[in-house]
Amino acid sequence: MAQSVIEALLKSKIGLDANSIGADAIASAIYQRMADCGITDIAHYLGKLQVSTQEWEALIDCVIVPETWFFREPESFAFLKHYVLSEWLPKNPQNVLRVLSVPCATGEEPYSIAIALLEAGLNPANIHIDAVDISKKCLLKAQRAIYNQYSFRSNRRSFQESYFQPTEAGYHLCEQVRCMVNFINDNLADPAFLADTPLYDVVFCRNLLIYFDVTTKERTIQILERLLKPEGLLFVGQAEAWLLFKTQLVSVRQHSVVAHRKSKAGENIRKNHYQSSEIRLHASKNIDVLNRRQLPKKNHSKFAAQERLNVAPQNPILLQDLKVNLLETARALADRGRLNEAVKLCNDYLNQNQVSTEGYLLLGQVQQAMSENERAAQSFQKAIYLQPTHEEALTHLALLKEHQGDVDNANLLWQRIHRLTKNKQF
């Protein structure tokens, strides 16, 4: 009972969905804190937690998983440099580029942003980076800016020699980069988060939304929209793209990058234009047919003639879509936020195509967006079984393992991805 109350507190205060990391992981954190406090009764610990700000912060530090490293998902930083040089800088030659990193954990991400922007040729005086995290412990480590070899897991290692000084305590980041980042202790789940802060050109918020319950996800997305300038970029995690459909944000996916651009005020948004418009059109037709089939019988008759036309032999494209493009229809439904319907179509597709890597990948992505993490992990594992070198499926599973606190298996997956990427270079 006491654990359920603590889970409810975590949900109300930081938006944590217990299913995202599992009740066992939360129980482990609670009992670790109880041992540290010398408390043996969980009800007694709950009482302490409700009156002690310090203990609340300590529990948060035990619950969250600050798994990060320099230039994690390097394609995002390459895309950031391209965007700044090709789009932002020509329009804003004298302005300051404002960037937000949340959650910043122990600092690797905002410092990577700073290094990427320096290497893009920007003057430090024209860069402002805010890095925000709920954990004071993480922020202290970030400000110290001394890292061990574990923080340098990316394929790109040349920056380590250029910007870090080896010391007995670890690799110390140079002062020029340290001074570029402003660290802030705040809670993104708070509706007043950075309420009085000027808007940002770029926001990095990767692999956080999947921790949140549905209400906090929706509120957080609204906050991120509020913080972005028109035409500003938001970077999110692979499993979080589905959550941004009903927003002012338009997908600008390129390869492994998951970024969204905020539309101008009043602009007519054409969502998710990274996919083929032809496929989108066909998928929309399929959805319309599915919608009509779900109508009550008394309302069905007025659509009957039209539906007969849509599926008649003289319209073979739609027949083909219903069979061959079933997966694209599922993808379109997911993009519209209709996740339960997308799962059903994915399963229908997989019943007909039992060795489809892409089918299991999409199913896993939708299940993860629904916080069904155990099922999502099984789907990603099936995709990997069918295609052991599928980097996107491997990446999704690695991120999921991190979120569940299974750091050892996550690291094995990241090593596997690293080897695949390295082999591509030769």
Side-chain angles (χ1 to χ4, degrees):
M1 179 65 181
Q3 179 171 335
S4 298
V5 175
I6 294 173
E7 289 178 3
L9 283 172
L10 288 166
K11 182 176 180 178
S12 66
K13 290 181 179 291
I14 65 172
L16 179 68
D17 179 2
N19 293 324
S20 68
I21 62 173
D24 290 345
I26 293 177
S28 177
I30 292 170
Y31 287 112
Q32 178 61 56
R33 287 307 307 154
M34 288 173 59
D36 292 343
C37 296
I39 296 174
T40 57
D41 180 62
I42 190 170
H44 182 196
Y45 177 72
L46 173 59
K48 180 180 178 65
L49 190 64
Q50 290 173 317
V51 299
S52 171
T53 301
Q54 291 78 12
E55 183 53 36
W56 177 248
E57 291 174 353
L59 178 62
I60 290 174
D61 283 334
C62 273
V63 168
I64 62 175
V65 183
E67 185 69 14
T68 184
W69 57 89
F70 286 99
F71 290 95
R72 179 180 183 177
E73 299 175 21
E75 297 85 359
S76 295
F77 298 98
F79 186 81
L80 172 65
K81 290 198 287 186
H82 172 77
Y83 164 75
V84 169
L85 292 176
S86 64
E87 296 190 43
W88 184 86
L89 192 58
K91 297 177 183 177
N92 304 274
Q94 304 301 322
N95 290 353
V96 173
L97 179 74
R98 291 181 52 79
V99 184
L100 172 64
S101 169
V102 56
C104 68
T106 47
E108 286 91 333
E109 179 175 89
Y111 287 140
S112 296
I113 293 169
I115 293 171
L117 295 175
L118 285 177
E119 293 183 345
L122 268 66
N123 189 317
N126 296 107
I127 303 170
H128 179 95
I129 302 172
D130 285 333
V132 185
D133 204 276
I134 195 172
S135 169
K136 292 181 179 178
K137 181 180 178 181
C138 284
L139 290 174
L140 286 173
K141 182 173 180 180
Q143 291 169 314
R144 187 168 173 247
I146 298 177
Y147 298 94
N148 58 31
Q149 199 62 44
Y150 196 64
S151 292
F152 301 93
R153 282 174 277 167
S154 71
N155 297 321
R156 183 179 178 278
R157 301 290 290 274
S158 59
F159 72 93
Q160 188 174 351
E161 295 181 2
S162 301
Y163 297 97
F164 291 84
Q165 178 65 40
T167 69
E168 291 184 2
Y171 293 89
H172 195 195
L173 182 62
C174 68
E175 184 178 1
Q176 180 191 30
V177 177
R178 294 202 310 271
C179 292
M180 292 174 63
V181 180
N182 174 43
F183 289 100
I184 302 170
N185 179 225
D186 207 341
N187 179 7
L188 182 55
D190 184 344
F193 178 78
L194 299 183
D196 300 322
T197 303
L199 301 182
Y200 294 93
D201 300 283
V202 178
V203 174
F204 277 73
C205 183
R206 302 188 294 174
N207 307 308
L208 173 68
L209 298 177
I210 51 179
Y211 279 116
F212 289 158
D213 65 276
V214 173
T215 301
T216 307
K217 282 175 183 174
E218 293 175 352
R219 185 171 64 241
T220 301
I221 291 169
Q222 292 174 357
I223 291 170
L224 294 172
E225 282 188 277
R226 166 174 61 79
L227 291 171
L228 262 182
K229 291 180 181 179
E231 297 190 285
L233 282 186
L234 169 65
F235 290 86
V236 295
Q238 292 275 359
E240 297 165 328
W242 312 111
L243 303 173
L244 303 178
F245 179 76
K246 296 178 181 179
T247 68
Q248 303 175 57
L249 303 168
V250 182
S251 174
V252 289
R253 277 196 185 187
Q254 183 177 359
H255 303 298
S256 303
V257 178
V258 185
H260 290 72
R261 186 193 305 274
K262 184 176 179 179
S263 63
K264 295 180 181 178
E267 183 178 61
N268 182 25
I269 304 173
R270 185 166 68 87
K271 299 296 293 182
N272 298 314
H273 58 275
Y274 60 88
Q275 287 198 351
S276 162
S277 58
E278 181 181 359
I279 290 175
R280 283 288 175 193
L281 177 61
H282 293 169
S284 297
K285 290 179 181 178
N286 295 349
I287 292 169
D288 291 340
V289 171
L290 290 169
N291 287 343
R292 293 195 287 277
R293 288 174 178 168
Q294 293 163 0
L295 289 172
K297 192 170 183 179
K298 63 180 181 179
N299 293 329
H300 186 75
S301 58
K302 64 180 180 179
F303 293 105
Q306 182 61 43
E307 185 166 347
R308 280 196 299 271
L309 288 174
N310 284 343
V311 297
Q314 60 263 36
N315 194 349
I317 295 178
L318 188 55
L319 279 175
Q320 179 181 341
D321 291 340
L322 287 171
K323 295 177 180 178
V324 179
N325 286 334
L326 195 61
L327 193 62
E328 292 303 334
T329 308
R331 198 185 307 277
L333 283 166
D335 285 344
R336 294 185 179 189
R338 294 161 59 176
L339 302 181
N340 287 322
E341 295 168 76
V343 166
K344 183 180 184 306
L345 283 193
C346 281
N347 285 321
D348 289 346
Y349 175 83
L350 287 167
N351 285 335
Q352 301 173 28
N353 304 270
Q354 296 180 3
V355 291
S356 170
T357 301
E358 295 303 321
Y360 283 112
L361 175 63
L362 178 59
L363 178 60
Q365 290 172 320
V366 180
Q367 288 168 330
Q368 192 171 6
M370 298 170 70
S371 297
E372 297 180 355
N373 289 337
E374 290 302 324
R375 291 182 178 179
Q378 292 173 8
S379 296
F380 294 141
Q381 286 166 347
K382 289 177 181 177
I384 294 166
Y385 174 79
L386 292 169
Q387 187 176 337
T389 59
H390 199 293
E391 288 186 40
E392 190 172 359
L394 288 164
T395 299
H396 276 296
L397 187 58
L399 290 169
L400 189 54
K401 292 296 183 183
E402 284 180 7
H403 299 151
Q404 295 175 324
D406 189 355
V407 177
D408 291 339
N409 279 320
N411 286 339
L412 290 174
L413 287 164
W414 287 121
Q415 292 169 16
R416 188 168 166 182
I417 294 165
H418 173 75
R419 288 194 297 271
L420 289 172
T421 307
K422 188 175 180 180
N423 290 338
K424 283 183 178 180
Q425 297 173 353
F426 297 97

